[in-house]
Amino acid sequence: MTLLRRTPSSTSRATERPGAAGDASSTPPMVLAEGVCKSFGHLQVLQGIDFEVARGEVAVLLGPSGSGKSTFLRCINHLEKVDAGRLSVDGEPVGYVERGGRLHELREKEVAARRTEIGMVFQRFNLFSHQTALENVVEAPTQVKRLPRRVAEERARELLDRVGLADKAGSYPSQLSGGQQQRVAIARALAMDPKLMLFDEPTSALDPELVGEVLDVMRDLAREGMTMVVVTHEIGFAREVADVVAFMDGGVVVETGRPDQVLGRPQHERTRSFLSKVL
Amino acid sequence: MAATQQGSSTIEPATVQPPRLEAVPVRHPGRWVAAVLVGLVALSVVVSLAKNPNLDWPTVRRYLFSDLVLSGLWTTVWLTVAAMAMGVVGGVVVAVMRLSANPVLRVVSGAFVWVFRGTPVLVQLIFWGFLGAFYPTTTIGIPFTDVVFFTGRTSDLVPATVAALLALGLNEMAYASEIIRAGIQSVDSGQVEAAHSLGMTSGRTMRRIVLPQAMRVIIPPMGNETITMLKTTALVSVISGHDLMSNIQAAYAQNFKVIPLLVVASAWYLALTTLLSVPQGWLERRFGRGVAAPGPRGGLGRLVSFRPGASS
Ligand SMILES: Nc1ncnc2c1ncn2[C@@H]1O[C@H](COP(=O)(O)OP(=O)(O)OP(=O)(O)O)[C@@H](O)[C@H]1O
Ligand SMILES: [Mg+2]
């Protein structure tokens, strides 16, 4: 009964999830950022991000609007190019390959190949509006991974069933509620069997009564051992599911630690004032 | 608020069953009156045209399916189809070049659109038609060296039909590329990001995600372009092409039956544009899938879809 069907090593890890963060010493962290900087013109949005997520961990990023959370998430997936600093996913530098002690910039095809291993879920769902739910989920496996259509469809139906939308396979995005669209979007990302999932405020475009259904799916995913980086304002979700919470402000990570530390006993004044506003 | 509270306090919810009410749709008696009036006016116009001796219906009948007209019609149709095919295929390429991150491609495509949209199509036709006068021989080789792969007389390489196709096709490419560019830009950038995040390359994203959605915006103006092209083919008479309009003009230059022959031409153009609305409507429905409000039905569908209001 798992959402994920991955390599044997990763499924076995799922069972030992509580210790996942501790035993990661031998393998590189899933996400490692050191002094990551990014500017848009004169606006320096990221001013040296230090951040680490171990395999199997769930990290929640908090922070006020404009603090650079989305930008950082997009850097992890190379949708934005980092200006300075080091950023790597699963030991490999994002956008580069290390050969002979030098970093060679990746070509478009290679960047795309790396992205197949990272799933991303967007605030505004971004389902392909000319395709049904099923076609959305089948698109990348057939087009990118070249899976036979029959195999991809079978797996897509399985995933849609897991997110509770087996009966909506033939619906177009415009015929689905926000919560349903977001669950299809999660199924679409999972169809590529990613080793890392990025969520950018997945519930903030939803009506309050639809937030729960999406968080439930994410909670299941976390329980099964998926490594996740989640930008959200759902403090309850962070408290319950996160292994690490990082508070960002002004383009830096101000404070990071276990949820009970950062959310319960914040050390920094900026964290405290932010939490007092959202709680 | 006060009113509803009062209302709910007087009704006992469980016991009182609201009676089933019949919903009466809004009636539109005005539409029927208007339809009858319009019908009468149309009928009187048709009758007066049919009875008008100046229109010379026997001549119209004689020329409508004459060889001269039919061969012109054939030229018009294939020129339109070929030029539009060239325009659409080339237009997609030029549009993608204009939106490319590569500055060389952007400048080249921008210059192409600038030249071919900025000069009269008549001039372009004459240029291609009389290319042999500018460049009597055509040589293909490596520039600034003596290496020559091929050489030949330009007028043999570019006969009138090829010249007509080149002129109309390249001109259409420039216009179509701008329509297609607007269509591509109308697609939400979130769609591209989602495709990229799934590991799709730019090329595949364009083909699989962006263009199919852009089509919805592209098709109606391209329908217009096709109809314009149908009539623009008449310009090929200047390089002695033999399209429908040129043949009609040639005929009335000899027999002076201008009005009946123009009626023949109009009847054919109208028939062609009517036929064109069928694939257009089909394409609009095909690419409108997944959009909440279905687009208008194609022209023929519109003509026959006069539905009186809910009559029961
Ligand atoms: N493509 C861009 N070009 C220019 N400026 C940008 C771009 N993307 C983001 N920015 C700017 O970068 C800053 C950080 O944006 P970002 O979207 O990362 O913030 P955020 O923390 O995700 O905020 P929110 O909670 O509102 O989503 C903002 O000031 C924004 O205006
Ligand atoms: Mg954001």
Side-chain angles (χ1 to χ4, degrees), chain A residues 87 122 214:
Chain A
L87 179 59
F122 301 86
V214 171

Side-chain angles (χ1 to χ4, degrees), chain B residues 41-198:
Chain B
V41 171
L43 191 68
S44 67
V45 169
V46 168
V47 167
S48 89
L49 284 176
K51 284 188 170 168
N52 188 331
N54 292 328
L55 276 174
D56 191 2
W57 291 106
T59 306
V60 170
R61 217 167 299 130
R62 195 166 70 237
Y63 274 95
L64 198 56
F65 295 103
S66 66
D67 286 347
L68 182 78
V69 167
L70 287 184
S71 81
L73 188 69
W74 169 240
T75 306
T76 292
V77 167
W78 83 253
L79 249 185
T80 303
V81 170
M84 286 311 294
M86 194 170 150
V88 170
V89 174
V92 171
V93 174
V94 175
V96 170
M97 282 168 72
R98 288 207 84 181
L99 295 170
S100 147
N102 181 336
V104 178
L105 295 183
R106 276 207 309 272
V107 168
V108 168
S109 54
F112 172 83
V113 172
W114 179 65
V115 169
F116 284 90
R117 220 169 42 141
T119 55
V121 64
L122 183 63
V123 174
Q124 291 172 33
L125 255 171
I126 292 172
F127 174 84
W128 290 111
F130 298 98
L131 196 62
F134 301 106
Y135 294 104
T137 58
T138 300
T139 304
I140 297 176
I142 299 174
F144 312 116
T145 65
D146 292 332
V147 183
V148 170
F149 301 125
F150 170 86
T151 184
R153 275 188 54 205
T154 303
S155 52
D156 296 338
L157 291 173
V158 189
T161 46
V162 174
L165 186 57
L166 273 176
L168 296 177
L170 288 173
N171 188 254
E172 185 54 40
M173 238 162 96
Y175 279 98
S177 76
E178 287 294 276
I179 292 172
I180 292 164
R181 183 169 68 103
I184 289 172
Q185 285 177 323
S186 77
V187 177
D188 178 24
S189 63
Q191 299 278 311
V192 175
E193 280 192 354
H196 283 171
S197 79
L198 288 165

